[in-house]
Amino acid sequence: MTSKPPSKSPSKPPSKRLPKLTSLLPDLAPWRSSADFRLLWVQGLVTYFSSAMALIALPLQIKELTGSPLAVGAMGAVELVPLVVFGLYGGALADAVDRRKVIIATEAGLGLLALVLLLNSLLPSPMLWPLYVVAAGVSALAGLQRPALDSLMARIVPHAQQTAAAALNSLRWQMGAIAGPALAGLVVAYAGHAPAYGVTIAGFAASVLLCRRLTPAPPARDAEKPSLRGIAEGARYAWSRPVLLGTYVVDLAAMLFAFPNTIFPFLADELDADWSLGLMYAAGSVGSLVLGLTSGWTSKVRRHGLLVVCGAAGWGLAIAAAGWFSNIWLVLLCLGFAGAGDMLSGLGRATIWNQTIPEELRGRLAGIEVLSYSVGPQLGQVRAGAMAGWTGTRAAIWTGGAACVASVGLLCLALPKLLTYDAETDEDALRRKARQEETPEAQGTRDNPQEACAGAPA
């Protein structure tokens, strides 16, 4: 009688939970493929944390010097015009000069402005007017820098990784938005204004050193000097592209109708939950952070216009629910969902911008982007405040959210190409992809950043 071979224990089927879980994690492909992306990611994190010190210390110092809420609020007025003007000019400048040089120069300028704040804070009697001058100067330099910084992403990150890059950048921003002010508040409270400004200076110095290692990003050979005609050319291009136009107007409508941050103190009073005010301001960032940590699936999306629309509609719906509910925990939950919707829409916008806009117009279109996402929240706060005085706080919030959803729906009807946008069939996206693949050296991706920049001018 022959012996039977030993029976093998039945093998367990591979777990399906692990692949599903890992597919939700952030896609790190841009981090692995682009040394320049890694440098900018770290530089941005350093800048967010260090500049948070000045962003907290500056209004607190104005409050201490004046005791006037109006004097603190006036910072917004002195910041808006420089941001708009220099944002548009910065877009034209980014298309005409080396973007790396623009970023280095503006980071150095921001460090010098922080030095002015430090010196003023060390005076026996600190002066008020330099604080407003610095606030306006910071806004102007940010307007000059942002188009160069944003337009660089399309060059240093491969075409197929733009959504993943946008998710990683948003994740970095949310980390800074949550932890930066909290840390800055402790430093200012226990150490004072001068140490906070000193940390800001050190942060910008480190940022300049990191940016010097970036690959040079020269303009096209036939690039024109910055001019009003060049800015108008960028605006005409945006107007002629329904998909691109849709990303701007959807975001503008969402912020105009459903950005109630300025009336959160009144909402906290109405809900008899004064303790929740800080949580209200943080809830949106927490929601965005959660989406960022589970954003791996977005790298497989091709219909980025749907991300823009669904995210903006979700933002409006969540804001409407926050104004409707009277339970504070439900309100905070809704604000968290709103933040997730805003980030989802932002991922779609950033991907469409970086996958479709021609390299020679990227800076000018980035300047228009600065205008779209800076003016919207400002106007939204004015609308929310005026509406609250007329209808009451909660009504101003939920009607604004409902108006956001309605306006997004109407814009989809007016601009149907935004909904049907497909990264694999859109002509502008295919053209941009082909141009990037023809000139891989322009992507700025390399294994040794020091070697590539050894002979680069500072």
Side-chain angles (χ1 to χ4, degrees), residues 77-341:
V78 302
E79 290 171 342
L80 181 59
V81 174
L83 181 63
V84 172
V85 173
F86 285 91
L88 289 174
Y89 178 77
L93 186 68
D95 285 334
V97 301
D98 190 324
R99 293 167 187 169
R100 170 178 171 269
K101 291 182 178 180
V102 174
I103 296 170
I104 293 174
T106 51
E107 287 291 284
L110 289 168
L112 290 176
L113 290 177
L115 179 61
V116 172
L117 292 176
L118 174 62
L119 295 176
N120 183 63
S121 69
L122 294 175
L123 295 175
S125 298
M127 296 179 288
L128 178 62
W129 65 266
L131 305 183
Y132 290 111
V133 172
V134 168
V138 168
S139 186
L141 288 175
L144 284 175
Q145 182 192 82
R146 193 60 186 263
L149 202 57
D150 288 352
S151 60
L152 202 56
M153 285 297 148
R155 177 178 291 204
I156 66 175
V157 176
H159 187 272
Q161 298 175 9
Q162 290 298 331
T163 305
L168 291 174
N169 284 334
S170 295
L171 187 61
R172 174 195 61 185
W173 189 91
Q174 297 303 336
M175 291 167 57
I178 294 172
L183 179 62
L186 292 175
V187 172
V188 174
Y190 291 100
H193 302 296
Y197 295 141
V199 172
T200 302
I201 295 170
F204 281 118
S207 175
V208 168
L209 293 178
L210 287 170
C211 290
R212 284 171 59 89
R213 299 176 62 191
L214 291 170
T215 304
R221 294 180 180 178
D222 56 349
E224 299 179 3
K225 294 182 178 179
S227 64
L228 290 175
R229 186 181 68 176
I231 295 174
E233 181 184 356
R236 283 194 300 270
Y237 178 86
W239 184 263
S240 68
R241 296 300 193 275
V243 174
L244 202 57
L245 183 62
T247 64
Y248 296 137
V249 294
V250 166
D251 182 52
L252 189 61
M255 294 297 104
L256 172 63
F257 290 115
F259 193 79
N261 290 28
T262 192
I263 58 175
F264 279 169
F266 301 95
L267 179 62
D269 289 342
E270 193 166 318
L271 298 177
D272 195 24
D274 293 341
W275 54 269
S276 68
L277 180 58
L279 295 178
M280 286 184 184
Y281 284 112
S285 293
V286 172
S288 297
L289 181 63
V290 171
L291 183 66
L293 292 172
T294 57
S295 62
W297 61 274
T298 60
S299 295
K300 301 177 179 64
V301 174
R302 295 172 9 194
R303 304 281 295 278
H304 302 108
L306 280 176
L307 291 185
V308 174
V309 171
C310 293
W315 157 272
L317 189 62
I319 292 294
W324 185 265
F325 288 126
S326 57
N327 182 287
I328 182 58
W329 296 108
L330 288 177
V331 170
L332 293 173
L333 182 63
C334 290
L335 293 176
F337 277 114

